């Protein structure tokens, strides 16, 4: 959220008033996400997840044909995209035909964000959001209200597999700054009574504040924890090192936003004493995958189809993921290279669902930024949305005292962008860490071609 007068006022208010404002924001989000379309879609999803492979394929091909004609006739970008590559909509009948079209990259989307919106909708009919910006700068995403509800229904279908529902009380490990970084005594959390959630400040997960946070968790009941697994890992590590156990355990831990590494999962499961599950999605709603009860990622085929591109030199079964999504007709994505990689499962899943499944989804691993006062700060990619003049941004840390912010500038990049970056970084890392800005021509990718928002050389 950009720095505004309301935001600055919020930080100066007493905690009870902050909770009221936080809840009012939560009410707006609740109404937006759980609108009249949500519960009907959730019920349909709980039925369709048990379709046969043949039913799934027929459904996907039918939705794909509808999407292709919709995109060609109502989205200016795709009309030009198809015509310039000599492809007619009627040539795309099944998923196998998608190879007739070129791959859509994030850079292409970034350059054509306005013309990728369907002309069927007025701006007042759409909801606007931003991607997390892990590719350097965020994308502006426009969604229909039914599309947004569909996305949340898919995310809740995953939770429903474990007996959870939208009215369950939950604790969020998120990267938004709901609690001022300068606050040095509890409560390090804020309540959203309408969304049934408590938002825990991951920026206060330090040795100094951890006892107060654990005292709170041990005196309050939550149905589940959700959010960044890298943040939960910090808390779990502290608990294990100090031989602390939760007195009031949640039913489950549901992770997302960054990668649930095997070491994180083991540590969280050991410390919290409950099952850990994970869902993989994106703000673009080009596609989605959700884990089942046996820990396999299943493609949420109701909103997308998936192509797998082999990666030279990668382990067998590992491929780059291309999504074609019809869940959001306002801004559809066709053959979208999201930049993540997965390892396909061999054979059917024991859960009985016949949708495509993966053993793992990789490429979202986000290193910590470490500070001299002992904090490990996550969610740094959210800082990038404040510098609209930057093409790409990466944080590199080679020592505990300093971070280097590498910036590939656009023609509009200027002092206002650097000031915004510095302000948002300081809000997260504090004043003890030196911040160095470096203008570069390009930012190197990993051997597998993945952009890393944060690279740490610290052991």
């Amino acid at each position: 959220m950009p720095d505004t007068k309301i935001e600055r006022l919020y930080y100066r208010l007493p905690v009870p008033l902050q909770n009221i404002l936080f809840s009012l924001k939560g009410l707006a989000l609740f109404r937006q996400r759980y609108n009249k379309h949500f519960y009907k879609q959730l019920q349909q999803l709980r039925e369709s997840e048990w379709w046969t492979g043949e039913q799934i394929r027929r459904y996907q091909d039918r939705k794909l044909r509808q999407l292709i004609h919709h995109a060609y006739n109502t989205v200016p970008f795709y009309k030009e995209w198809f015509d310039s590559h000599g492809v007619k909509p009627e040539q795309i009948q099944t998923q196998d035909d998608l190879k007739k079209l070129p791959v859509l990259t994030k850079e292409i989307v970034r350059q054509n964000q306005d013309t990728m919106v369907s002309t069927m909708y007025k701006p007042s009919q759409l909801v606007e959001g931003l991607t997390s910006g892990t590719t350097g700068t965020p994308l502006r995403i426009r969604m229909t209200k039914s599309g947004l509800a569909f996305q949340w229904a898919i995310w809740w279908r995953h939770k429903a597999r474990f007996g959870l529902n939208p009215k369950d009380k939950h604790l969020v490990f998120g990267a938004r700054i709901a609690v001022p970084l300068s606050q040095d005594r509890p409560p390090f959390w804020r309540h959203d009574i309408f969304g049934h959630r408590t938002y825990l400040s991951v920026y206060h997960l330090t040795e100094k504040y951890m006892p107060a946070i654990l005292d709170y968790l041990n005196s309050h009941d939550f149905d589940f924890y959700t959010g960044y697994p890298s943040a939960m890992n910090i808390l779990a590590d502290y608990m294990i090192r100090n031989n602390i156990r939760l007195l009031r355990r949640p039913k489950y831990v549901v992770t997302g936003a960054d990668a649930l590494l095997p070491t994180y999962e083991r540590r969280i499961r050991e410390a919290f004493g409950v099952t850990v599950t994970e869902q993989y999605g994106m703000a673009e709603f080009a596609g989605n995958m959700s884990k089942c009860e046996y820990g396999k990622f299943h493609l949420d085929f109701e909103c997308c189809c998936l192509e797998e591109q082999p990666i030279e030199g990668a382990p067998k079964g590992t491929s780059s993921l291309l999504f074609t999504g019809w869940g959001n007709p306002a801004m559809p994505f066709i053959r979208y290279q999201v930049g993540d990689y997965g390892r396909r499962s061999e054979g059917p899943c024991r859960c009985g669902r016949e949708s495509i499944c993966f053993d793992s989804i990789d490429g979202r691993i986000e290193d910590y930024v470490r500070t001299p006062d002992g904090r490990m700060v996550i969610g740094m990619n959210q800082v990038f949305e404040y510098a609209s003049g930057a093409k790409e941004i990466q944080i590199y840390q080679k020592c505990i005292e300093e971070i280097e912010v590498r910036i590939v500038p656009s023609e509009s990049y200027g002092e206002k962008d650097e000031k915004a970056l510095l302000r948002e970084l300081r809000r997260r890392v504090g004043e003890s860490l030196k911040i160095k800005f470096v203008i570069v021509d390009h930012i190197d990718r990993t051997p597998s071609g993945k952009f890393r928002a944060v690279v740490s050389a610290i052991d």
Side-chain angles (χ1 to χ4, degrees), residues 262-442:
T263 53
Y264 291 179
E265 182 174 6
R266 288 193 296 270
R267 196 172 288 139
I268 293 168
R269 187 173 63 246
E270 178 184 350
F272 299 164
V274 298
T275 298
V276 184
T277 186
E278 179 184 14
Q279 76 88 28
Y280 164 82
M282 61 206 76
E284 298 97 315
F285 199 22
N288 208 87
M289 294 195 202
S290 307
K291 279 188 175 179
C292 69
E293 301 87 342
Y294 291 91
K296 301 287 187 181
F297 279 106
H298 286 260
L299 179 70
D300 293 305
F301 66 87
E302 295 90 347
C303 69
C304 64
C305 60
L306 172 68
E307 298 173 76
E308 300 168 66
Q309 285 195 331
I311 305 171
E312 185 177 352
K316 181 182 177 182
T318 301
S319 57
S320 176
L321 307 178
L322 300 182
F323 287 98
T324 295
W326 47 77
N328 175 30
M331 194 174 181
F333 287 79
I334 300 174
R335 300 206 79 205
Y336 183 50
Q337 189 175 57
V338 69
D340 294 333
Y341 308 91
R343 183 161 51 89
R344 183 77 170 265
S345 298
E346 295 183 4
C349 182
R350 289 183 293 165
C351 73
R353 297 176 181 87
E354 296 187 22
S355 48
I356 293 172
C357 61
F358 282 71
D359 289 331
S360 65
I361 305 296
D362 303 310
R364 293 185 299 157
I365 299 171
E366 188 181 0
D367 287 328
Y368 302 112
V369 166
R370 300 176 187 267
T371 62
D373 58 3
R375 290 183 295 121
M376 294 185 286
V377 184
I378 65 161
M380 299 303 293
N381 52 16
Q382 293 189 8
V383 173
F384 301 162
E385 70 184 64
Y386 295 90
S388 58
K391 289 182 178 179
E392 291 183 335
I393 305 173
Q394 183 184 72
I395 294 175
Y396 175 72
Q397 185 172 26
K398 63 180 179 180
C399 65
I400 200 72
E401 295 82 18
E402 180 183 80
I403 58 172
E404 181 177 288
V405 183
R406 299 169 175 173
I407 300 165
V408 179
S410 68
E411 292 181 359
S412 64
Y413 182 82
E415 186 178 359
K416 62 178 178 57
D417 295 294
E418 189 164 306
K419 284 184 177 179
L421 286 172
L422 183 62
R423 180 192 69 228
E424 296 303 320
L425 285 167
R426 286 290 179 216
R427 290 174 62 196
R428 288 161 171 81
V429 303
E431 299 294 331
S432 61
L433 191 66
K434 182 179 178 182
I435 299 174
K436 179 182 179 183
F437 291 94
V438 179
I439 301 298
V440 297
D441 294 326
H442 73 281

Side-chain angles (χ1 to χ4, degrees), residues 143-161:
M143 298 185 72
T144 62
K145 294 175 182 178
S146 62
L148 181 64
F150 187 28
Q151 184 179 43
W152 278 87
I154 283 176
W155 290 345
W156 272 103
R157 194 253 303 267
H158 167 231
K159 298 182 182 72
R161 291 171 181 168

